Amino acid sequence: MRLFWEIARREFRRHITYRAAALAGLATNFFFGLLRAAVLLAFFGTSAEVAGYSVQDAVTFTGLSQAVIGPLNLFSWTDVGRAIHSGEVASDLLKPMDYQGFWMARDAGRALTQLLWRGVTIMIAYALVFDIVVPTTAGRWAAFVVAVVLAWLVSFAWRFLVNLSAFWSPDARGIIRFAFILSWFASGFLMPLRFFPDWVVRLCELTPFPHTVNTIVEVYLGLISGTDVIWALLAQAFWAVALLAAGRLVLKAGEKRLVVLGG
Amino acid sequence: MSSAIDAPSESAPNSKDRGLGVLEGLDLYRRLIGAQIRSLMQYRISFAFDFISTGLITLVECAAVAIVFQRFDSLGCWSLGEVALLYGTVTVAFKTMEMLFVGFDPSGFGESVRLGGFDRIMLLPAGLTLQVLGSRFALHRIGALYIIGSTITFWTIDSIEAINIFTYGGQEMMSVPMHIYHPLMRRFFTFVVPGVFLNYAPVVHLLGREDQIGLGPTAPYLAPFVGLIAMIGALAFWRFGVRHYQSTGT
């Protein structure tokens, strides 16, 4: 535990030094947020509410979904796949530590920097430009924080799992890319899932993706309340545990296959 | 296979100086791209993955918007078919640009500056622009912006994510009707990055719609001129960057 804490802390300090990169990323995420907000506003036109979303909810959705791009690494993450292909994995597996825990600690440090540099700042920038929704009860804030942490766990668990495909395929990058593209649609990142017809939402719910962006958004906006919130958080926890366990099993199988050439 | 023999560095013609004629230049470009395509085809499965996933991105983006159209009647008074025409024209244009200019893709080029690959290119007896153009070719996928983005990496070393605002941001912005945006953003994409002339103005004209942002009657025909001016500007900036280039020493 102590080891993972140290790894996470170092990763946090490493990432927090890249201020220029963070600023550039921030500007990009914010600008795209403005574009997406304009599209949703044009869709709404004169209607005040669609599928449970008010205009204010929809604008806040674009800010929130842009804010989690960094912390949840929504666009791409092939670090583990690269470590497997380069053979770096072999020396890390020799160390007396848990390989999945090692990457989880690194990802936690990185996610926390992104949350501070990008997540919080984008929401502040949004609050300056738009009239956004801000939760008013302590209960909703608490549920939101738990939802973000669990969403990160689900996100890390599936990213780690698909990266392990590198043990079997030299084209793992393509497989990982597929998963990411599907996640943009099914997580409710491109558009809120409530705007989709029921049968599409049900298809999405066969995947872990809605338990990342969509749950965060619905809890923050208060679109679900009471016991529904508890159920949503439990569903996140279930997917996190299931995917982490699957990751461990697949890692075991992968280790058996691993052949690293010397040199 | 012959690809090893025809590798880009060896296939440069035996010209004594950098001033290649136009025909020789075209021939060199053809050979460089030929080598790239052959090398891509060596990894068929990887190529198939790239090909399919690029299609999948377009599909997923279109599906998300098309499905949401069921909930709403229109996007700023434009129908799904009309928006699809905008999206289609900008996507085809952007992907063609990526295909031709991917050698100037800031993220890849930044790496070549950082690792010294660009120094090697400078030593070869052929035009720099031509070599960078021929250094990569994306079969699966507004060139001027890429060139500007790459030139900036001379100073920043790393590619800067913010250039995405101009490239992908421009693409995203141009895939929906321009009149829905705030006037400030519209002005940015009219005067700073003149994307509005590339597809919005011609599509408005083609659909016989009223020009809602007052671009004027000549706007639908300006795209080729705007493109040419942007390209000349970008190449001038590129030359300036090359003249002031200092290697990273790696």
Side-chain angles (χ1 to χ4, degrees), chain A residues 114-138:
Chain A
Q114 296 287 326
L115 189 71
L116 294 177
W117 274 148
R118 292 204 192 181
V120 175
T121 34
I122 284 182
M123 290 313 281
I124 291 172
Y126 250 74
L128 294 175
V129 179
F130 296 107
D131 173 29
I132 60 165
V133 178
V134 179
T136 44
T137 62

Side-chain angles (χ1 to χ4, degrees), chain A residues 21 24-25 27-29 31-32 34-36 38-40 42-44 47 50-51 118 171 174-175 177-178 181-182 184-185 190-191 194-197 200, chain B residues 45-46 49-50 52-54 56-57 60-61 63-65 67-69 71-72 74-76 141 161-162 164-165 168-169 172-173 176 180-181 185 188-189:
Chain A
T28 310
N29 289 162
F31 183 81
F32 273 82
L34 294 181
L35 295 186
R36 299 178 61 208
V39 170
L40 275 181
F43 262 129
F44 269 78
S47 25
V50 175
R118 292 204 192 181
D171 297 303
I175 297 167
R177 194 143 173 252
F178 270 177
I181 297 170
L182 283 182
W184 301 338
F185 183 87
L190 288 177
M191 285 286 176
R194 278 178 194 241
F195 288 179
F196 295 162
V200 178
Chain B
I45 297 178
S46 157
F49 263 118
D50 265 5
I52 298 169
S53 63
T54 305
L56 195 66
I57 293 177
V60 158
E61 283 179 356
V65 174
I67 294 172
V68 169
F69 252 100
R71 286 267 179 208
F72 302 87
S74 69
L75 178 60
R141 320 187 190 255
E161 199 180 341
N164 287 352
I165 289 178
Y168 297 102
E172 175 122 343
M173 180 141 183
V176 289
I180 69 165
Y181 294 112
M185 282 159 96
F188 180 76
F189 277 95

Side-chain angles (χ1 to χ4, degrees), chain B residues 11 13 20 34 41 49 81 93 96 110 151 153 182 196 203 208-209 217:
Chain B
S11 68
L20 291 174
M41 287 304 150
F49 263 118
T96 313
T151 308
T153 64
H182 191 275
V196 69
V203 166
R209 279 188 153 273

Side-chain angles (χ1 to χ4, degrees), chain B residues 194-243:
Chain B
V196 69
F197 299 104
L198 299 185
N199 77 328
Y200 179 71
V203 166
V204 165
H205 186 66
L206 194 68
L207 293 173
R209 279 188 153 273
E210 194 197 337
D211 169 16
Q212 279 162 288
I213 58 175
L215 288 169
T218 51
Y221 310 103
L222 287 179
F225 306 104
V226 168
L228 199 67
I229 292 169
M231 199 62 191
I232 292 171
L235 284 174
F237 184 52
W238 163 246
R239 296 239 164 79
F240 173 78
V242 170
R243 258 205 311 279

Side-chain angles (χ1 to χ4, degrees), chain A residues 129-216:
Chain A
V129 179
F130 296 107
D131 173 29
I132 60 165
V133 178
V134 179
T136 44
T137 62
R140 211 202 283 177
W141 273 113
F144 171 67
V145 171
V146 176
V148 170
V149 173
L150 287 171
W152 165 73
L153 263 176
V154 174
S155 154
F156 167 76
W158 79 255
R159 284 185 280 123
F160 185 78
L161 185 62
V162 291
N163 265 267
L164 295 180
S165 63
F167 276 119
W168 287 269
S169 170
D171 297 303
R173 278 174 64 105
I175 297 167
I176 297 168
R177 194 143 173 252
F178 270 177
F180 272 95
I181 297 170
L182 283 182
S183 82
W184 301 338
F185 183 87
S187 67
F189 166 71
L190 288 177
M191 285 286 176
L193 287 187
R194 278 178 194 241
F195 288 179
F196 295 162
D198 280 346
W199 65 273
V200 178
V201 179
R202 248 173 272 140
L203 275 182
C204 294
E205 275 168 357
L206 296 177
T207 70
F209 306 128
H211 304 284
T212 55
V213 183
N214 199 57
T215 304
I216 292 181

Side-chain angles (χ1 to χ4, degrees), chain B residues 71-238:
Chain B
R71 286 267 179 208
F72 302 87
D73 305 324
S74 69
L75 178 60
C77 297
W78 285 49
S79 71
L80 173 58
E82 290 172 322
V83 175
L85 182 63
L86 273 179
Y87 181 89
T89 47
V90 73
T91 307
V92 169
F94 197 82
K95 295 293 170 191
T96 313
M97 176 289 282
E98 250 186 350
M99 179 170 89
L100 296 175
F101 290 93
V102 70
F104 277 102
D105 180 3
S107 60
F109 188 77
E111 188 163 305
S112 130
V113 167
R114 192 167 60 245
L115 301 178
F118 187 69
D119 295 9
R120 188 180 61 82
I121 285 181
M122 288 183 100
L123 294 173
L124 295 177
L128 278 176
T129 317
L130 194 72
Q131 288 196 70
V132 176
L133 267 181
S135 67
R136 271 173 79 199
F137 188 71
L139 261 186
H140 56 91
R141 320 187 190 255
I142 319 171
L145 290 172
Y146 265 25
I147 295 182
I148 292 174
S150 281
T151 308
I152 294 173
T153 64
F154 283 142
W155 291 284
T156 61
I157 309 303
D158 241 324
S159 74
I160 48 168
E161 199 180 341
I163 194 75
N164 287 352
I165 289 178
F166 303 102
T167 54
Y168 297 102
Q171 186 194 8
E172 175 122 343
M173 180 141 183
M174 283 149 68
S175 29
V176 289
M178 282 285 173
H179 70 267
I180 69 165
Y181 294 112
H182 191 275
L184 268 180
M185 282 159 96
R186 245 169 19 215
R187 247 169 260 155
F188 180 76
F189 277 95
T190 308
F191 300 113
V192 185
V193 182
V196 69
F197 299 104
L198 299 185
N199 77 328
Y200 179 71
V203 166
V204 165
H205 186 66
L206 194 68
L207 293 173
R209 279 188 153 273
E210 194 197 337
D211 169 16
Q212 279 162 288
I213 58 175
L215 288 169
T218 51
Y221 310 103
L222 287 179
F225 306 104
V226 168
L228 199 67
I229 292 169
M231 199 62 191
I232 292 171
L235 284 174
F237 184 52
W238 163 246

